[in-house]
Amino acid sequence: MSRIYEITERVASYAPASDIDTINRAYVFAAHAHAGQRRNSGEAYISHPLAVADILASLSMDSATIVTGLLHDTVEDTSVTLADIEQHFGADVAGLVDGVTKIGKISFSSREQKQAENFRKMILATAKDLRVLIVKLADRLHNMRTLGFMPEHKRQAIGIETLEIYAPLAHRLGIHWIKQEMEDLVFSYLETDAYKALMSEMQGRLGGLNQTRERLESLIQKALLRQGLKAKVQGRMKHLYSIHEKMQRKHVDFEEIFDLLAFRVIVEDMTVCYQALGIVHSLYRPVPGRFKDYIAIPKPNGYQSLHTVVIGPENFRIEVQIRTESMHFYAEDGVAAHWAYKEGGNEDQDSFTWLKQLTDLLKETDNPGEMLEDVRLDLFVREVYVFSRDGDIYPLPRGARPLDFAYAVHTDVGQHCVGVRINGEVADFSCRLKNGDQIEVMTSPDQTPSRQWLQYVKTPRAKQSIRQWFRRQEHDSSLRLGEKILYQTLGVKDVAADVLKQCGCEDVKALKIRLGRGELAVHALLAAAPNKGASLRRLMGMKGATMQAAECCHPIPGDTVLGQLSGSEGMVLHHFKCHAVSEGKKQQDWIEVDWQSQSGALFKTGIEVRSRNRRGMLANVTRSIADSGSSIEDLKLNQRGGSMSLLLFLIDVEDRVHLAHVMRAIKSVEGVVKVERRNAVGLSGKKESRALGETLRDFFASRKTSASKTSASKTSASNPRQEKE
Ligand code: MN
């Protein structure tokens, strides 16, 4: 078991200026939090965070990362909260712990399982600070080292996840030894027999291999020295999993694998790398096509080195990597090397910010585009990855908004969505989702989509679902309307086949829908079924929401209305005195409709309020409207000369009863002289009715199109015909 003083001593050795006190404090804090908890091995739980911190120290990480290693399981597994962490260890550490906790919540056994690459991208994108990933890798590495204590059935899942997700991540971040150790551990647990067999084969040849290694080390070393080059030459055995993989890939036995050895030549500077390469190639024949210059063209993860394969003694193929000391650091520890304290423990080091790190990385690479892509994938991937409240991941296109998420969860969730919380806070439908957002959808069975939603969705799925809903609504209401028209015209619910044929309809349902949509005129139906001598004069009991109120006269349920079927909008209702009725085409098309209110369905209507000019008058009137359960759609204020004001409101009401209630409320406001329904006045049978109807519509229409043009409203307000009234 790692000891805290060993860790702090190690940190102090590579970074004398670091905050050892805080590391000690984090240890005590974590030990308290995990008190009484045990690992599967039976050890005290604190042994795990200690081991993780130890791994992080071996990567020479900064003290914030070491502290995070000690605290990384406290929020997930104990009563400690993020707020506690922030209070005791600051926002930087709290942010890191939060990131590690979030990644830990991602469940690999979800349906995203198949897309391992997506998954890796998602993890990269979620971890806003790469130190989060490094802590996570250290965490997983220790869990892998102790996998033997896990129940059999869990080993499999954890092993596969490690192999498919975490080892490639370590590779991507350039932390090679973690990748290799993870792979060998997975290999030993998941393919125990193959592992043991390979192990014993290796053992058998170990003696010979070691001799070869030592001999070659000194041969290369001497050759370089003869040319005056100082170099460190290290031979090593390939790790077991890579040998195993090669045997699988090439379908060969162990005896046929020749490149069990790899050599590293570490020299002083870059130009020497190429000189050393020349010397190695003069010693042994290079294998054509195997030379790679990763110094001139670094790998996407920033790795730099010269690679070559030569045919050594006894026909051994030998891989040789040549690089400088700093390239070597990077090759071993990858991006972790960038958090390592530089020699001398510069004071700046503790305040390293992510941005500074990124710029440093960019400066050091010849290919900033690729480097950036690798480091900060969320700038490049076209998806954002968000979490449900339960921690499931949802990949959504960049620019997606809350309703896209709701529809991605389930169409029903989208359809009934009344609001969302993002990371615990109530958010607007118009906001854009960010990587790592945790989204909670609030639903209500009463909620239905609105057309406005179409502006707030990006995914085809959400768009289609919303449109489909409206199509279904239109279909249903047309069917209901057609049913009524049919029954109230002919007194039947079905018609004979020849009537259907004459109307060009396949079945009675199609007939009803076409009637409801106005695609089939009532007189055409009567012509097809003439024997009844019937006609449709009146539609009884029509519910508010299925009908459209005409914009010219703004009728509301309870008014005497006449309807006309219009192809796209269904039944459009006009006030019976609207000019559209008297001037409309064929009188036979007008149907008297008994229009009833329906709770929740609102209709616009105009009212005019005359009042004395008083401070706060407008506020009082608008409050009285709101208090009586109505809302203002539009409003015009016309200050008449002198002491009177004329207010014109377009308000939403359910029906005439509701309107009367609103008008009474306005009348009771002090200073209000007169309240009238504007369209009703206009339709009262006086001569100017048409002009008023138009004025109202034109006025509100002009306000909508040119909100800033006050002159437009003045013109219509001073309409001479209006003055007469
Ligand atoms: Mn852990």
Side-chain angles (χ1 to χ4, degrees):
M1 179 165 153
S2 318
R3 306 271 170 194
I4 188 63
Y5 67 84
E6 289 166 355
I7 295 169
T8 51
E9 270 172 19
R10 193 166 187 170
V11 174
S13 72
Y14 63 74
S18 49
D19 188 356
I20 301 297
D21 273 1
T22 306
I23 296 175
N24 279 319
R25 228 157 29 82
Y27 167 68
V28 174
F29 187 93
H32 266 290
H34 290 295
Q37 294 178 346
R38 301 216 159 260
R39 298 273 290 171
N40 282 332
S41 62
E43 275 187 293
Y45 195 90
I46 190 67
S47 64
H48 167 63
L50 269 173
V52 171
D54 200 17
I55 293 167
L56 293 168
S58 75
L59 287 166
S60 308
M61 297 299 287
D62 65 357
S63 60
T65 312
I66 308 281
V67 167
T68 304
L70 290 167
L71 301 173
H72 81 273
D73 274 333
T74 54
V75 172
E76 182 67 16
D77 295 341
T78 76
S79 58
V80 170
T81 65
L82 266 185
D84 297 334
I85 304 249
E86 179 160 359
Q87 192 198 331
H88 289 96
F89 300 98
D92 192 24
V93 170
L96 292 172
V97 171
D98 186 34
V100 178
T101 309
K102 262 190 182 150
I103 292 180
K105 276 187 187 162
I106 299 168
S107 88
F108 185 48
S109 56
S110 70
R111 65 201 152 85
E112 268 73 22
Q113 191 156 3
K114 288 162 211 121
Q115 308 164 328
E117 181 53 31
N118 259 351
F119 208 86
R120 284 194 289 274
K121 276 194 210 163
M122 187 275 311
I123 292 180
L124 277 177
T126 307
K128 291 178 179 113
D129 187 324
L130 279 179
R131 290 178 296 178
V132 167
L133 277 186
I134 293 167
V135 176
K136 190 64 207 170
L137 288 176
D139 177 37
R140 177 52 61 106
L141 180 62
H142 184 246
N143 284 336
M144 281 307 296
R145 285 176 182 168
T146 53
L147 193 67
F149 297 105
M150 281 302 243
E152 191 73 39
H153 66 280
K154 283 193 178 172
R155 284 185 211 171
Q156 182 82 14
I158 295 172
I160 289 172
E161 187 181 72
T162 303
L163 196 61
E164 293 191 349
I165 308 295
Y166 289 101
L169 264 180
H171 172 70
R172 203 144 196 181
L173 297 180
I175 312 175
H176 244 82
W177 66 270
I178 288 190
K179 175 204 177 208
Q180 292 181 355
E181 190 178 336
M182 278 181 174
E183 285 178 345
D184 277 354
L185 285 164
V186 174
F187 183 33
S188 74
Y189 285 117
L190 263 50
E191 291 178 75
T192 313
D193 293 343
Y195 177 82
K196 280 182 180 159
L198 192 54
M199 210 37 176
S200 72
E201 301 235 42
M202 277 292 263
Q203 232 100 53
R205 286 179 61 181
L206 218 52
L209 280 170
N210 268 331
Q211 275 183 7
T212 315
R213 180 174 60 83
E214 282 167 22
R215 199 171 82 232
L216 284 182
E217 270 177 6
S218 86
L219 265 169
I220 298 172
Q221 185 93 55
K222 278 176 191 156
L224 291 170
L225 261 178
R226 272 200 299 276
Q227 304 294 324
L229 301 184
K230 260 208 268 171
K232 266 188 270 178
V233 181
Q234 304 165 341
R236 66 193 166 90
M237 235 67 90
K238 287 276 189 78
H239 75 294
L240 284 175
Y241 183 74
S242 71
I243 297 168
H244 171 69
E245 226 194 353
K246 192 160 197 172
M247 286 162 59
Q248 299 286 309
R249 203 172 56 229
K250 300 199 166 173
H251 304 287
V252 294
D253 291 333
F254 181 70
E255 286 73 32
E256 298 170 72
I257 300 279
F258 293 105
D259 50 352
L260 296 171
L261 286 175
F263 288 84
R264 227 168 254 151
V265 179
I266 294 161
V267 297
E268 274 176 335
D269 66 63
M270 201 177 74
T271 49
V272 181
C273 290
Y274 292 93
Q275 287 175 293
L277 179 78
I279 293 163
V280 171
H281 279 183
S282 68
L283 274 177
Y284 301 106
R285 189 160 55 84
V287 178
R290 293 296 302 273
F291 168 64
K292 297 221 171 65
D293 186 349
Y294 293 120
I295 291 179
I297 305 163
K299 283 192 183 181
N301 63 14
Y303 174 86
Q304 285 188 301
S305 211
L306 298 178
H307 284 193
T308 186
V309 176
V310 296
I311 313 271
E314 295 146 49
N315 272 346
F316 267 120
R317 280 174 176 230
I318 301 162
E319 199 183 290
V320 183
Q321 301 170 347
I322 303 166
R323 54 201 182 211
T324 67
E325 193 80 44
S326 70
M327 289 174 194
H328 182 59
F329 261 131
Y330 193 89
E332 288 293 285
D333 292 349
V335 287
H338 286 265
W339 275 274
Y341 290 90
K342 284 174 187 145
E343 274 168 53
N346 192 331
E347 284 195 7
D348 257 18
Q349 314 267 325
D350 245 21
S351 55
F352 261 1
T353 63
W354 161 243
L355 200 63
K356 186 155 171 281
Q357 292 297 308
L358 186 61
T359 21
D360 284 350
L361 287 175
L362 289 174
K363 267 188 247 157
E364 286 169 30
T365 172
D366 290 328
N367 193 336
E370 262 186 2
M371 184 65 214
L372 191 63
E373 183 163 26
D374 230 50
V375 172
R376 194 71 202 264
L377 269 159
D378 66 338
L379 293 175
F380 287 86
V381 292
R382 274 175 291 137
E383 288 114 357
V384 289
Y385 296 88
V386 296
F387 299 91
S388 71
R389 201 183 50 180
D390 303 329
D392 289 333
I393 318 157
Y394 289 84
L396 291 171
R398 191 153 279 279
R401 302 180 207 234
L403 281 167
D404 289 307
F405 172 79
Y407 275 100
V409 172
H410 196 280
T411 309
D412 281 346
V413 174
Q415 229 73 299
H416 299 299
C417 175
V418 286
V420 288
R421 277 197 199 100
I422 298 180
N423 303 323
E425 288 185 19
V426 175
D428 207 74
F429 281 169
S430 64
C431 76
R432 283 166 202 278
L433 302 179
K434 292 191 293 294
N435 267 317
D437 276 348
Q438 189 166 42
I439 303 162
E440 188 186 338
V441 179
M442 295 170 279
T443 58
S444 156
D446 298 333
Q447 175 74 322
T448 56
S450 99
R451 290 202 186 269
Q452 260 197 334
W453 286 13
L454 288 167
Q455 299 166 20
Y456 298 136
V457 294
K458 168 133 185 155
T459 53
R461 177 178 175 159
K463 270 186 194 152
Q464 269 164 26
S465 301
I466 295 169
R467 291 213 179 98
Q468 221 165 47
W469 190 86
F470 281 109
R471 271 202 297 278
R472 210 163 45 236
Q473 290 302 301
E474 190 272 333
H475 180 272
D476 290 355
S477 71
S478 294
L479 183 65
R480 277 199 304 274
L481 182 58
E483 228 155 44
K484 284 217 156 161
I485 293 172
L486 180 65
Y487 187 72
Q488 292 182 20
T489 311
L490 299 177
V492 294
K493 288 187 172 170
D494 207 344
V495 292
D498 62 313
V499 176
L500 282 177
K501 201 179 164 194
Q502 224 178 312
C503 295
C505 296
E506 239 173 55
D507 52 23
V508 73
K509 193 177 172 188
L511 178 94
K512 286 171 181 171
I513 289 171
R514 293 193 61 204
L515 269 177
R517 284 185 181 152
E519 290 164 6
L520 179 66
V522 175
H523 57 87
L525 173 71
L526 285 168
N531 51 337
K532 304 276 178 186
S535 70
L536 179 70
R537 297 240 168 70
R538 205 171 150 79
L539 272 174
M540 299 299 292
M542 296 311 297
K543 284 281 193 280
T546 60
M547 315 300 274
Q548 298 280 330
E551 292 273 313
C552 50
C553 51
H554 290 298
I556 55 175
D559 284 343
T560 305
V561 289
L562 292 171
Q564 198 163 41
L565 287 158
S566 113
S568 57
E569 290 163 286
M571 181 73 87
V572 179
L573 301 177
H574 292 263
H575 195 279
F576 81 111
K577 284 188 174 163
C578 177
H579 63 91
V581 174
S582 50
E583 290 172 12
K585 19 178 188 117
K586 302 171 197 152
Q587 292 298 310
Q588 58 181 352
D589 286 346
W590 288 104
I591 301 162
E592 199 180 312
V593 177
D594 167 35
W595 192 23
Q596 298 174 352
S597 58
Q598 181 183 356
S599 155
L602 296 173
F603 296 89
K604 283 180 218 151
T605 197
I607 50 171
E608 187 183 274
V609 179
R610 277 158 210 270
S611 72
R612 298 185 205 291
N613 284 334
R614 284 198 185 180
R615 190 186 294 275
M617 172 59 76
L618 184 60
N620 291 338
V621 172
T622 54
R623 193 179 310 123
S624 72
I625 292 173
D627 288 349
S628 39
S630 172
S631 57
I632 298 167
E633 289 274 324
D634 208 339
L635 137 77
K636 171 203 159 193
L637 176 61
N638 184 19
Q639 215 94 26
R640 298 218 156 164
S643 60
M644 295 298 284
S645 286
L646 184 67
L647 303 161
L648 196 55
F649 292 95
L650 195 61
I651 60 168
D652 284 329
V653 291
E654 277 183 14
D655 56 12
R656 281 179 73 97
V657 178
H658 187 196
L659 176 65
H661 174 63
V662 177
M663 286 169 70
R664 264 199 309 278
I666 299 173
K667 249 176 221 162
S668 69
V669 173
E670 210 186 323
V672 169
V673 177
K674 201 173 179 190
V675 183
E676 280 178 311
R677 182 165 171 202
R678 180 51 175 273
N679 11 11
V681 170
L683 295 161
S684 63
K686 290 178 195 164
K687 274 185 186 170
E688 66 271 36
S689 65
R690 176 183 166 184
L692 292 174
E694 273 183 355
T695 307
L696 189 70
R697 180 181 51 184
D698 294 348
F699 171 69
F700 285 121
S702 71
R703 292 256 305 197
K704 261 169 209 150
T705 50
S706 56
S708 59
K709 262 197 220 161
T710 47
S711 61
S713 50
K714 273 186 190 134
T715 316
S716 62
S718 57
N719 184 319
R721 279 178 293 190
Q722 189 183 339
E723 296 296 323
K724 271 195 283 177
E725 161 267 340

